[in-house]
Amino acid sequence: MVEITAESILQCRVNSLTSPPPVVDPGGGAAFDPATVSNAILSNANLTITRSNTSTGGVASTAYKNSGKYYFEVTIGASHATTDFIGIKDATVSYGDITNGSAGNYAGYWPVHGSTVTSGTGFGGLGSASAGDIISVAVDLVNYAVWMRRNGGNWNGTSTADPATNNGGGGAISGSLAPVIGFSTLGSPTAGDNFTANFGATAFAYAVPFGFTAGWPP
């Protein structure tokens, strides 16, 4: 017989507030669009992008969103160019824009450089990433802000940032945006560098912020 107490009820309430929401229906998350691939190849149900040469390139999703709050993760297989990019952008922004730090409607992270950037301006620092690191991305298209973290660390590199409370968000973003990976020519670009996105088809490695959709729906 299970005894129901005030303490157990309170704990259930705490768990409901701190546990990640369910993932998006298996296989139901977005994927990258083969039509957007440049100097790279897609695999793994269009979730893994692999660099095929050392030119500027990348891939984007066409699941553009202009409202809601979403969470996804990207695992780094290998990245050597200084400003390879993980993040979001609108349809007008090029792979050259996000890897060169040009002005534009985008926000994301340069894993080797270690900075989070928007329209060429930094809004935090996660430190340099390595192969196997997992980058969490929380995108708020209600308040138009972005939070990122590496291996479950501090959001946007500070202990006070929290997407669940809309605190410490970065990214001067607006309009409709979609996930993107960019390959840079700066530093030591290397064919074979690769990234794998999880838009909700499988369980996430880290907790989804309260109030955010677990994944990026198609």
Side-chain angles (χ1 to χ4, degrees), residues 2 48 53 92 122 133 138 143 170 173 175 197:
V2 177
T48 297
N53 57 51
T92 69
D133 283 357
N143 300 293
I173 54 172

Side-chain angles (χ1 to χ4, degrees), residues 32-128:
F32 290 122
D33 179 13
T36 69
V37 173
S38 175
N39 295 311
I41 58 173
L42 281 172
S43 59
N44 183 31
N46 293 336
L47 293 174
T48 297
I49 179 73
T50 301
R51 182 173 201 145
S52 56
N53 57 51
T54 59
S55 299
T56 299
V59 69
S61 170
T62 54
Y64 286 91
K65 310 291 183 190
N66 59 15
S67 63
K69 301 179 181 182
Y70 307 95
Y71 173 89
F72 65 94
E73 294 177 346
V74 175
T75 299
I76 299 172
S79 179
H80 293 91
T82 308
T83 56
D84 283 348
F85 183 91
I86 298 167
I88 57 170
K89 74 175 187 72
D90 76 13
T92 69
V93 172
S94 72
Y95 302 132
D97 292 335
I98 59 178
T99 57
N100 290 328
S102 302
N105 189 22
Y106 67 87
Y109 170 57
W110 291 332
V112 172
H113 188 279
S115 296
T116 48
V117 295
T118 179
S119 191
T121 302
F123 65 88
L126 307 183
S128 297

Side-chain angles (χ1 to χ4, degrees), residues 3 9 23 45 80 92 148 157 161 179 200-201:
E3 181 181 4
I9 293 173
V23 297
H80 293 91
T92 69
M148 304 185 75

Side-chain angles (χ1 to χ4, degrees), residues 151-180:
N151 296 334
N154 289 331
W155 290 107
N156 292 348
T158 174
S159 60
T160 57
D162 185 357
T165 58
N166 189 31
N167 186 50
I173 54 172
S174 62
S176 295
L177 300 112
V180 62

